[in-house]
Structures are given as structure tokens and as C-alpha cells.
Amino acid sequence: MLEIWGRRSSSNVQALMWCVEELNLEAVRHDAGFIYGVTDTDSFARMNPNRTVPVLKDNGGEALWETGAILRYLADRYGPSSFWPKAPAERAQADKWAEWAKLNVALQFTGPVFWRVVRTPEADKDPEAIASALRALHANLLIAEEHLQHSTWLSGDSFTLADIQMGHVLYRYFDIDIARPKLPNLRRYYERLMERPAYLAHVAISYDELRGALPG
């Protein structure tokens, strides 16, 4: 049994819960972070001194933190080879795209765009900063757009961990009120994600509690 700490509205927790369901694992999740507290307690700090979510324990084992590390652990221990290849060279291809998506899409979207568009109070929004962040993000999404012209999933013909790192922010990207260039291959990729029950259950969900609520 997996035990997970993290609020449902956290994009990193969403990535983890999506992965858990794709791998058909049993888990219990405890709300933590933001308005739910818990992360400010001594007991949580003993699990994760950074006081961030998600945190995972597998069958009561030592706590794991950092989303990418948790996802790789689950993929390595429980994932089929189609999801996380066993051969080092094949795995490196999936890992390459997973790392690229984390650094160049997820991180470039969540803070620079989503926080400025959704989490910042209306009076404090900076249109020039948003426009600049979108230009940087879209330069990276054009790389995915070109790649997905010849590939069903980010790392080839199979759904892999790379798609979780890439796809967990796309619901918010396509849902929020921003100007988006025409990216037909990325749009088709996103529509394939929206056909996955685990994505609908854990990622394509309301983020209303975050509106106008910058992290404290």
C-alpha cells in the first residue's frame, strides 16, 4: 500500500496520482500543503525537510520526496517495460523526454505562466511578464509539436513516464485564459490524454481553490 501526502490541486501530486492509477497501484492520499496545512508540522518535516508535496511511503518504508524521483521509483519497481524500459539505452530515451518535459514544459508553465495567470490576484497581474513567459514556453512547445508529428507518444509508440511529466500540465495549459498558437499535433496528443480515465480522474479537475491565491 502506498501512502501519499499532498493536496489534490497540486500539479505535482496530480502527476503522482495519475502515475499510481496508470500502474494499478493501491494508495491512500492525505491532504497536505496550501490551505490544508500539515507541511508546517514537525512530523512532516521529518519526512521531508523541504516541507513540499508530494511525499510518498511505500509499505511504511522511508519517505521519498521530489516528484521526479518518486515517479522513477514507482516506474522502476512497478511499471511494465512498455512504460519504463528495462534496457538502459531504451530507458534513456524515455528518461530524456521525461527530463526535458519537466524542465522545459512543466517548470516553464507552472510558475511563470499558471501562477501569474491564475494564482495572482487580478490587480497584481503583470501582462508583460505573462507574455514573456508564454513566448519562452511556446518556443519549447514547438519542439514537442514537431516531434509529435512523427510520434504517437512523447517517447515513441508506447505511453511512458515521459508522458506523465509532459502531460500533467497540459489540462491547465489548454484550459486557462491565454493566447495559444496553433499546435495541432500537441492538441491531438492532449486529446489522447483526455481519453485516459486516470488522467480525467486526477489531472483534468478543478483548480478553483488556487485562483488569486499565491503561495505564502
Side-chain angles (χ1 to χ4, degrees), residues 8 14-15 17-19 21-22 153 159 163-174 189-205:
R8 184 167 161 80
Q14 290 175 359
M17 297 305 298
W18 177 20
C19 181
E21 186 162 330
E22 291 283 359
W153 298 106
F159 177 85
D163 298 298
I164 288 180
Q165 288 281 34
M166 173 75 174
H168 78 279
V169 296
L170 289 185
Y171 171 72
R172 293 180 177 183
Y173 169 76
F174 281 107
Y189 172 78
Y190 167 65
E191 289 171 353
R192 285 194 292 274
L193 294 177
M194 290 288 283
E195 294 172 355
R196 304 184 76 86
Y199 191 82
L200 295 176
H202 299 290
V203 180
I205 60 176

Side-chain angles (χ1 to χ4, degrees), residues 131-190:
S132 177
L134 283 172
R135 285 193 293 271
L137 174 65
H138 288 144
N140 291 325
L141 289 181
L142 284 172
I143 295 174
E145 171 69 13
E146 181 177 354
H147 176 67
L148 289 167
Q149 183 175 355
H150 309 287
S151 183
T152 302
W153 298 106
L154 198 58
S155 184
D157 295 331
S158 297
F159 177 85
T160 70
L161 183 63
D163 298 298
I164 288 180
Q165 288 281 34
M166 173 75 174
H168 78 279
V169 296
L170 289 185
Y171 171 72
R172 293 180 177 183
Y173 169 76
F174 281 107
D175 193 64
I176 65 176
D177 185 17
I178 55 172
R180 288 177 289 271
K182 291 184 178 180
L183 300 168
N185 298 318
L186 184 69
R187 170 69 75 168
R188 284 192 291 269
Y189 172 78
Y190 167 65

Side-chain angles (χ1 to χ4, degrees), residues 3-5 44 47-48 52-57 63-65 70:
E3 193 170 9
I4 295 165
W5 286 262
F44 187 89
M47 292 193 297
N48 181 3
T52 56
V53 297
V55 171
L56 175 139
K57 284 189 176 184
L64 291 175
W65 38 268
I70 296 172

